[in-house]
């Protein structure tokens, strides 16, 4: 990967300075990578307070190593590094200073150089800014959403849908072939019950006009009736057996359920702008499990326990993995083991991600462990090992405050209801703010959906989300609508600027602290994207955009000494040109960042 020259110069100078200040220790420990420029490069941080500089290197751990106080290490090394950085190294003109600050050494960059290069990179790169080729030739599978058919599409599947949709986009941006997979829960004994209920009380088998809530009603009715009449359960077992044995009539019914559900899910996905490359499901694996079970048996990994076929995972933390029950039925885990191996054969992926709630973390540990044991025992060559490439991308709960929902059916908060309510609330707000807007419907959709999407991304995935209507739709809060609104304002500024925006501007005109901050955040966008992929965490991008919008809005709302708003476009043509280059750059990056999160960026609102 191409190195950032500011960081390269800084890490090179630090490495040099360590050697200069502590020659003996360096000779003694010199082979330790902690003094190498590469190591330092990888461990550079950002100062907490951006006023302290662009990059920070912590030296706490060096105190002990060098037998010196960390603050003294920082002072001595910073002094040498500063001298070195100004005169030597591959880029002697890029840093203006290296300064000790407690246990850190901070670097300042040549602002005009960084600003010029950043504006140029954003304005010429446009939608490709932040993209890279790191994933070239590699495939990443991202499985997400994966709702259960014949069940309501509830908010339980909201977060996986949104996180996965974003991850798919982020990996694509970095040059990976990223494949979005929807793995429907379309198999299990509950379908035996559904079939009986449908045959007894359903309105016919055409499926015409039936909806998921009709199916859910039938399912609820089944459970009520089965309490009175236990013979129903026997019939349900028979029906499921018929399904397993591919009885044509029963299979037909099952397909009807699947079609009804899928049609409804698709409508929600389309509305939200969520996409998949492969819609599959558990049933797809039915005829593939036996071969995998045989492989596991051959590898000597299976045993019988009370008639059931299990794999002992040889791990005190994990219970044995059940492959086949005594009655012959396979399980959720059997399907996932088979599915992972199947995905490998089909895609030869670099990584396979499963965006599924933390509640299923033991399940995935078991599944991956079984595959790992299989590969060990079959002595699969390292580069073909699948278990190491599989990752459970877990996430916390979504808490909906009480009485926040307009509709509740049963105990499930329907995704549809959440989205519709968000769009309605957005419509009210837009009417208030901009009653003349022509495309109110479309804009309300973009903003409402954006609010819901962003609510799931503005928090680190392993934390719980507290969904509060007033917060997610607040145009001034840390929300999707706030970013979308900022984007629309930038577009409007650009519409009102008669000149052509170019990167060839006098960057020295951008001399205010807030402008500097905006430039830095623009420059750091590619890193935020990379970090998002590395940590499977779209939140890095969400947070970055909020900072960028915040910094920009400070410039925009800046008042001069007389308390007047300092207009971006003024009599000073060169100043206006420089600021408009900034405006356009921020608009590009916010638009591109929103796109990576799955949100639309309106031109107007
Ligand atoms: N359908 C499952 C559920 O709703 C989620 C599937 C997760 N993915 C997987 N490969 N097991 O709980």
């Amino acid at each position: 990967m191409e190195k950032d020259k500011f960081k390269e110069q800084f890490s090179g100078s630090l490495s040099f300075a360590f050697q200069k200040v502590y020659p003996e220790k360096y000779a003694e420990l010199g082979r330790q990578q902690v003094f190498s420029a590469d190591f330092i490069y990888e461990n550079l941080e950002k100062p907490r307070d951006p006023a302290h500089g662009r990059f920070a290197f912590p030296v706490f751990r060096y105190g002990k190593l060098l037998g010196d106080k960390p603050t003294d290490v920082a002072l001595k090394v910073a002094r040498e590094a500063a001298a070195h950085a100004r005169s030597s190294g591959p880029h002697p003109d890029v840093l203006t200073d290296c300064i000790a600050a407690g246990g850190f050494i901070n670097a300042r960059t040549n602002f005009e150089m960084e600003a010029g290069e950043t504006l140029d990179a954003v304005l010429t790169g446009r939608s490709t800014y932040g993209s890279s080729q790191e994933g070239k030739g590699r495939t990443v599978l991202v499985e997400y959403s994966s709702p259960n058919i014949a069940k309501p599409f509830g908010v339980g599947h909201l977060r996986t849908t949104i996180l996965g949709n974003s991850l798919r986009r982020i990996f694509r941006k970095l040059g990976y072939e990223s494949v979005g997979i929807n793995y429907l829960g379309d198999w299990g004994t509950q379908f035996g019950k559904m079939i009986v209920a449908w045959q007894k009380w359903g309105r016919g088998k055409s499926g015409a006009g039936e909806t998921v809530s009709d199916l859910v009603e039938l399912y609820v009715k089944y459970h009520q009736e089965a309490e009175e009449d236990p013979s129903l359960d026997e019939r349900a077992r028979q029906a499921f057996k018929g399904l397993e044995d591919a009885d044509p009539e029963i299979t037909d019914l099952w397909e009807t359920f699947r079609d009804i559900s899928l049609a409804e899910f698709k409508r929600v996905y389309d509305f939200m702008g969520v996409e998949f490359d492969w819609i599959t499901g558990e049933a797809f694996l039915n005829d593939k499990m036996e071969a995998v079970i045989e492989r596991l048996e051959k590898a000597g990994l299976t045993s019988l326990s009370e008639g059931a076929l299990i794999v002992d995972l040889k791990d005190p933390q994990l219970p044995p993995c059940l492959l086949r029950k005594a009655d012959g039925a396979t399980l959720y885990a059997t399907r996932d083991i088979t599915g992972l191996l199947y995905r490998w054969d089909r895609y030869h992926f670099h990584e396979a991600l499963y965006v599924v709630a933390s509640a299923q973390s033991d399940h995935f540990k078991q599944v991956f462990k079984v595959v790992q044991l299989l590969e060990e025992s079959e002595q699969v060559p390292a580069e073909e090992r699948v278990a190491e490439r599989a990752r459970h991308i877990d996430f916390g709960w979504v808490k909906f405050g009480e009485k926040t929902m307009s509709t509740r059916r049963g105990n499930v908060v329907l995704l549809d209801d959440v989205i519709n309510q968000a769009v309605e609330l957005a419509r009210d707000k837009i009417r208030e703010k901009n009653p003349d807007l022509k495309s109110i419907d479309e804009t309300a959709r973009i903003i409402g959906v954006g609010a819901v999407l962003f609510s799931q991304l503005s928090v680190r995935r392993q934390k719980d989300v507290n969904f509060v209507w007033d917060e997610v739709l607040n145009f001034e809060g840390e929300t999707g609508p706030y970013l979308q609104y900022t984007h629309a304002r930038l577009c409007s500024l650009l519409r009102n600027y008669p000149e052509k925006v170019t990167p060839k501007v006098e960057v020295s005109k951008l001399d205010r602290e807030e402008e500097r901050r905006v430039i830095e955040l623009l420059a750091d966008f590619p890193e935020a994207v990379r970090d998002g992929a590395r940590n499977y965490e779209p939140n890095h991008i969400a947070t970055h955009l909020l900072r960028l919008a915040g910094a920009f809005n400070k410039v925009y709302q800046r008042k001069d000494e007389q308390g007047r708003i300092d207009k971006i476009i003024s009599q000073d043509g060169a100043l206006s040109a420089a600021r408009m280059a900034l405006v356009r750059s921020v608009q590009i990056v916010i638009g591109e960042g929103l796109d990576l999160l799955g949100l639309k960026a309106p031109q107007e609102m």
Side-chain angles (χ1 to χ4, degrees), residues 143 146-148 157 183 185 282 332 336 354 356 360 363-364:
E143 189 216 283
S146 307
N148 302 317
H157 290 89
Y183 178 70
E282 296 185 35
Y332 185 49
D336 262 325
Y354 292 81
V356 183
Q360 295 196 27
H363 164 74
F364 283 105

Side-chain angles (χ1 to χ4, degrees), residues 426-441:
R427 193 193 311 276
D428 293 346
K429 287 219 166 189
I430 297 164
R431 278 220 189 91
E432 214 175 277
K433 268 191 178 293
N434 187 358
D436 301 328
L437 188 68
K438 282 192 202 74
S439 49
I440 287 211
D441 283 343

Side-chain angles (χ1 to χ4, degrees), residues 54-213:
R54 279 293 273 148
F55 306 107
F57 185 65
V59 296
F60 301 98
R61 60 189 297 184
Y62 291 84
K64 205 163 180 193
L65 220 53
L66 298 167
D68 212 345
K69 280 202 310 211
T71 45
D72 288 342
V73 174
L75 279 170
K76 294 177 199 167
V77 172
R79 195 182 314 124
E80 284 304 329
H84 181 268
R86 274 193 291 266
S87 57
S88 326
H91 315 286
D93 46 355
V94 304
L95 298 185
T96 54
D97 215 350
C98 301
I99 316 140
F104 288 92
I105 302 172
N106 297 331
R108 290 189 191 285
T109 53
N110 175 333
F111 174 71
E112 285 188 24
M113 174 183 280
E114 200 180 5
E117 290 183 6
T118 302
L119 292 178
D120 194 52
V122 181
L123 294 174
T124 54
R126 291 196 288 268
S127 68
T128 68
Y129 182 63
S131 64
S132 83
Q133 293 298 312
E134 72 163 70
K136 206 165 174 205
R138 288 176 169 174
T139 299
V140 170
L141 307 187
V142 191
E143 189 216 283
Y144 50 98
S145 202
S146 307
N148 302 317
I149 70 166
K151 292 225 177 123
F153 199 0
V155 286
H157 290 89
L158 179 66
R159 209 161 173 197
T160 162
T161 304
I162 293 170
L163 277 169
N165 184 56
S166 172
L167 287 171
R168 170 181 175 272
R169 289 163 175 269
I170 293 169
F171 279 99
R172 191 153 291 191
K173 175 100 175 164
L174 296 178
Y176 293 86
E177 178 74 38
S178 74
V179 182
I181 302 176
N182 192 352
Y183 178 70
L184 301 171
D186 58 2
W187 201 253
T189 48
Q190 75 273 22
F191 290 103
K193 300 176 183 174
M194 273 307 308
I195 286 157
V196 171
W198 182 279
Q199 286 170 337
K200 267 181 93 74
W201 310 292
R203 263 173 269 163
K205 55 181 175 177
S206 69
E210 308 285 342
T211 63
V212 172
S213 46

